[in-house]
Amino acid sequence: MIKGTVIFQMANVGSKSEGSHPFLRLEDGKMVKLALRGDNPFMHTMLRPYDLKNVVLEGEYNENGKFIATSIEEDVPKAE
């Protein structure tokens, strides 16, 4: 399990893959590229609803350092 905030931002400026791509801002502030298994890697349709939301993910890092999530859900604070 990993926690962070999904943030779409411009990446690969000046290349054919330039565009808005998903990143995960970890609790320590580090930004890592993010993908969701089964999602369209060009449209990120399944990740877009989580933009700017705190999330909890399951998955693993690939050989390039990108976090490949197998599940994602919003991290909703529990009421006391």
Side-chain angles (χ1 to χ4, degrees):
M1 176 184 76
I2 189 170
K3 291 184 177 187
T5 304
V6 175
I7 299 175
F8 277 80
Q9 63 184 26
M10 288 298 291
N12 307 321
V13 176
S15 73
K16 289 183 180 181
S17 61
E18 176 180 313
S20 179
H21 294 273
F23 289 81
L24 182 65
R25 184 177 60 216
L26 302 173
E27 293 177 314
D28 66 2
K30 182 178 175 187
M31 298 285 283
V32 295
K33 291 182 179 180
L34 176 64
L36 180 60
R37 186 165 289 144
D39 199 6
N40 180 315
F42 302 104
M43 302 299 293
H44 312 290
T45 308
M46 295 166 60
L47 281 173
R48 290 207 180 269
Y50 296 99
D51 189 23
L52 301 177
K53 294 189 178 174
N54 295 325
V55 295
V56 178
L57 307 104
E58 295 287 338
E60 59 186 32
Y61 290 94
N62 70 8
E63 63 278 357
N64 297 319
K66 180 186 278 190
F67 189 80
I68 310 298
T70 54
S71 70
I72 184 171
E73 62 183 49
E74 191 170 350
D75 187 15
V76 180
K78 294 183 177 29
E80 291 185 27

